Amino acid sequence: MGPNYPGNSLSPKAKRIAPEGPFHIQMTILGISAGFHDAAATVLDYDGNILFAGHSERYSKQKNDADISPGLISDVLHYGQPEQVAYYERPWRKQLRQWYSGQGIEWDKLTVRGILQQQLPGVDFDYAAVTSFNHHLSHAAGGFQTSPFDRATVVVIDAVGKWDTITIWGAEYDSVGRAQYTKLWSQGYPHSIGLFYSAVTSRVGLRPLDEEYILMGMAAYGHNNISNRLRYDLVDNEYEIRFKENLHTGLSQKYLSDYSDFDIAAGAQDLAEDLILNVMVRARNFKFSKNLVYAGGVALNCSANRRLGSYFGNIWIMPNPGDAGSSLGAAALAYGGRINWTDAYLGHDIAGDYPVNQLLDHLLQHGIVGVASGRAEFGPRALGNRSLLADPRGPEIKDRVNEIKRRQKFRPFAPVILEEYVDQYFDMPRGFGHSRYMQAVAGCKYPELFPAIVHHDGTSRVQTVPADDSGIRKLLEKWLVLTGCPLLLNTSLNIRGESMVNDRADADRFEREYGVRVCS
Ligand SMILES: [Fe+2]
């Protein structure tokens, strides 16, 4: 698989917890997605271990930061100079598409080396080989090469990378373990489920390419009886996923002005789900594999994902399936083989033991506590290392957490539960025996007991925690012993308007601003 070097005998986990010093010679691949939105970096070694993966916005505090921030470069260079730098798309093709769609050409973003030298001061490009990959292939590889599957049907749905907006791939490993991808079908710009959803996001006054998850949450409060109106007005062919107009330019603010934003959201979600499922039917009909790997920003729509199990037996959605996750996808393509996936705790490290007993004391006394400990999560969900946790029982807790988060009251919070208890409390959707990264919503069996973690439509965005050595696992086990309850409320630890807390200084600011203890 690759050369041996000192340190290979350590487990991937041990290597991740103890990054090597500047004098240690270690050959690495640096994967980069940057220059458009959600810049991110992944460091991979030549045994397929993920040494680090982090988001730029967590360091710069600018949501969806398009550029690699100095703090992220500093964490990346803890692992030494990379031998290869892999970029997540082919820039000249993207510039061509931008020119075609009237966005103009950014001349300084025409070559990979030019972009990377601009984005990565401090990286030695005399030493590092530079390579780039197709945008949708990077999505596909980030999914397939982290999946447990030897063979899978891969579906990628996003807004727009360069030309492709939807792709279906057959993926498998060859006799020497190299991932091979065969493109089975694609749809291209401007026909895009992602652009449709972003256009509606903008139409209801939310930020496109950022707040689509809020549109999804709003959908539960509306009536979906305008989905057919949307279909009639906007869709030319729902099986080929062809739209009547270029939704990249958005929808008129006067469009559907007789309807509430919640009804528009419900109609858009309903139509988006139908279109996604049409793609899944097409993908299944290739009969390549019953294993589904699903990637691209649209794969974050956990409400739609609950229906995927009708078409595929086993489903893998990497916790960061959008463009930021393609930093891992590009590195995986440069590496070539299967990635040793363990968990999503891959980012900036706040060293020290997970503060289980402190957290329990605060939960029992106050009902709410923050935690900022260990490696930051790679992906948009807080999974217990940068989380605001609360006792989910009873009717008051939702308002108390909302007061801290200061966000729209209609949005529910997520439950985190010991995996072996999930079927007692939730009806997990087919294809999802577990949901370790909140990939799908599930019906809650006791909504009256846990109103804070149940959405208006009776579903919850569940995080299941397997029997591993994570801090959140230890906390939930003790919480169960003390209270008889195997779940907690879990929401991201972030100051309003900012990205998630990254380091201890951010956690201190959170404490000062909201008066809630954050344990490390
Ligand atoms: Fe993408």
Side-chain angles (χ1 to χ4, degrees):
M1 280 294 182
N4 266 325
Y5 50 84
N8 272 5
S9 58
L10 290 172
S11 71
K13 195 84 179 174
K15 281 163 63 175
R16 286 211 262 120
I17 289 166
E20 305 297 343
F23 303 111
H24 181 85
I25 298 171
Q26 184 167 4
M27 291 165 67
T28 58
I29 302 165
L30 172 59
I32 293 290
S33 62
F36 182 47
H37 66 120
D38 291 322
T42 295
V43 181
L44 206 63
D45 73 13
Y46 281 83
D47 279 338
N49 301 310
I50 307 169
L51 305 180
F52 175 89
H55 297 248
S56 195
E57 64 169 24
R58 309 277 168 87
Y59 296 81
S60 67
K61 317 306 170 200
Q62 289 176 37
K63 283 189 88 179
N64 309 113
D65 193 349
D67 298 318
I68 301 285
S69 62
L72 177 55
I73 296 174
S74 172
D75 271 0
V76 160
L77 291 179
H78 266 293
Y79 300 91
Q81 288 289 340
E83 193 187 53
Q84 281 191 75
V85 184
Y87 190 59
Y88 79 127
E89 62 184 6
R90 299 246 158 88
W92 67 269
R93 293 204 66 183
K94 181 172 193 159
Q95 291 299 321
L96 197 62
R97 197 269 302 150
Q98 288 190 185
W99 171 79
Y100 173 79
S101 59
Q103 293 173 281
I105 289 178
E106 297 169 280
W107 294 101
D108 58 336
K109 292 183 179 174
L110 269 178
T111 68
V112 178
R113 192 169 277 272
I115 292 169
L116 290 175
Q117 283 177 336
Q118 200 178 36
Q119 290 283 341
L120 299 168
V123 169
D124 182 358
F125 284 97
D126 290 336
Y127 173 72
V130 168
T131 183
S132 67
F133 299 97
N134 173 292
H135 184 106
H136 267 225
L137 187 59
S138 293
H139 276 305
F144 177 61
Q145 287 169 242
T146 56
S147 81
F149 308 137
D150 294 327
R151 184 179 166 89
T153 304
V154 183
V155 174
V156 181
I157 308 179
D158 66 0
V160 58
K162 41 187 181 44
W163 291 100
D164 287 336
T165 56
I166 305 168
T167 50
I168 299 173
W169 308 77
E172 59 193 329
Y173 292 101
D174 66 14
S175 58
V176 293
R178 288 191 73 83
Q180 303 292 335
Y181 297 89
T182 307
K183 196 179 199 179
L184 303 173
W185 184 79
S186 65
Q187 183 52 277
Y189 182 86
H191 307 292
S192 164
I193 298 171
L195 284 179
F196 158 68
Y197 209 77
S198 291
V200 180
T201 301
S202 178
R203 164 63 188 82
V204 302
L206 298 169
R207 262 197 317 277
L209 294 178
D210 179 19
E211 295 185 327
E212 280 76 5
Y213 64 100
I214 300 178
L215 185 76
M216 182 179 70
M218 289 171 66
Y221 289 86
H223 296 287
N224 63 1
N225 50 9
I226 58 165
S227 64
N228 277 336
R229 165 87 185 272
L230 286 165
R231 192 188 314 262
Y232 178 80
D233 289 346
L234 304 177
V235 179
D236 179 40
N237 183 323
E238 65 181 293
Y239 302 103
E240 294 290 324
I241 320 294
R242 294 185 68 85
F243 289 83
K244 289 180 177 171
E245 56 188 279
N246 184 348
L247 293 170
H248 203 175
T249 52
L251 290 162
S252 161
Q253 289 302 312
K254 291 179 187 159
Y255 180 55
L256 299 174
S257 56
D258 294 342
Y259 294 90
S260 75
D261 287 347
F262 291 102
D263 286 345
I264 294 171
Q269 177 69 24
D270 195 58
L271 177 55
E273 288 188 16
D274 285 350
L275 297 175
I276 291 165
L277 294 181
N278 286 345
V279 176
M280 294 299 164
V281 169
R282 181 183 288 271
R284 184 193 59 182
N285 288 347
F286 283 105
K287 294 186 169 57
F288 188 87
S289 169
K290 286 189 174 174
N291 301 324
L292 171 68
V293 169
Y294 183 26
V298 177
L300 286 166
N301 193 315
C302 51
S303 291
N305 292 350
R306 75 191 188 285
R307 298 170 67 183
L308 302 177
S310 304
Y311 305 94
F312 289 92
N314 306 299
I315 299 163
W316 169 252
I317 302 171
M318 200 260 279
N320 203 357
D323 282 1
S326 286
S327 61
L328 170 54
L333 286 166
Y335 170 63
R338 188 192 293 277
I339 303 301
N340 301 317
W341 179 264
T342 50
D343 54 50
Y345 306 119
L346 298 164
H348 182 79
D349 192 20
I350 298 180
D353 291 336
Y354 199 81
V356 174
N357 291 334
Q358 274 188 65
L359 292 168
L360 282 171
D361 285 348
H362 278 273
L363 282 169
L364 291 169
Q365 280 183 44
H366 308 290
I368 301 177
V369 68
V371 59
S373 177
R375 306 288 297 262
E377 295 87 347
F378 186 50
R381 319 280 193 221
L383 301 169
N385 280 8
R386 300 291 187 275
S387 289
L388 190 64
L389 301 168
D391 183 344
R393 298 168 298 177
E396 315 88 21
I397 195 70
K398 185 174 179 182
D399 287 344
R400 286 187 61 202
V401 182
N402 254 327
E403 216 169 282
I404 296 164
K405 298 279 287 190
R406 298 174 199 169
R407 68 183 203 178
Q408 299 96 330
K409 292 211 167 185
F410 61 83
R411 291 169 56 195
F413 297 103
V416 55
I417 185 167
L418 290 167
E419 198 161 280
E420 61 271 31
Y421 285 87
V422 71
D423 293 328
Q424 288 183 34
Y425 288 80
F426 299 96
D427 286 315
M428 293 300 286
R430 280 169 63 191
F432 290 91
H434 50 69
S435 174
R436 293 175 184 170
Y437 312 109
M438 300 184 181
Q439 295 109 320
V441 298
C444 180
K445 293 181 177 176
Y446 305 103
E448 67 288 354
L449 295 180
F450 306 103
I453 52 94
V454 182
H455 202 20
H456 193 65
D457 59 4
T459 65
S460 301
R461 194 180 65 194
V462 183
Q463 177 195 351
T464 63
V465 180
D468 61 13
D469 62 352
S470 66
I472 190 74
R473 173 78 198 188
K474 295 185 188 95
L475 177 67
L476 282 167
E477 285 176 351
K478 282 200 173 181
W479 175 250
L480 173 65
V481 171
L482 292 172
T483 66
C485 175
L487 66 150
L488 285 165
L489 180 155
N490 175 20
T491 184
S492 60
L493 191 68
N494 63 295
I495 292 169
R496 184 163 167 79
E498 288 189 13
S499 56
M500 239 185 280
V501 160
N502 197 40
D503 56 20
R504 186 59 232 183
D506 298 339
D508 291 343
R509 278 202 301 127
F510 185 94
E511 278 194 352
R512 284 197 300 275
E513 192 140 332
Y514 298 114
V516 175
R517 177 84 179 106
V518 180
C519 302
S520 288

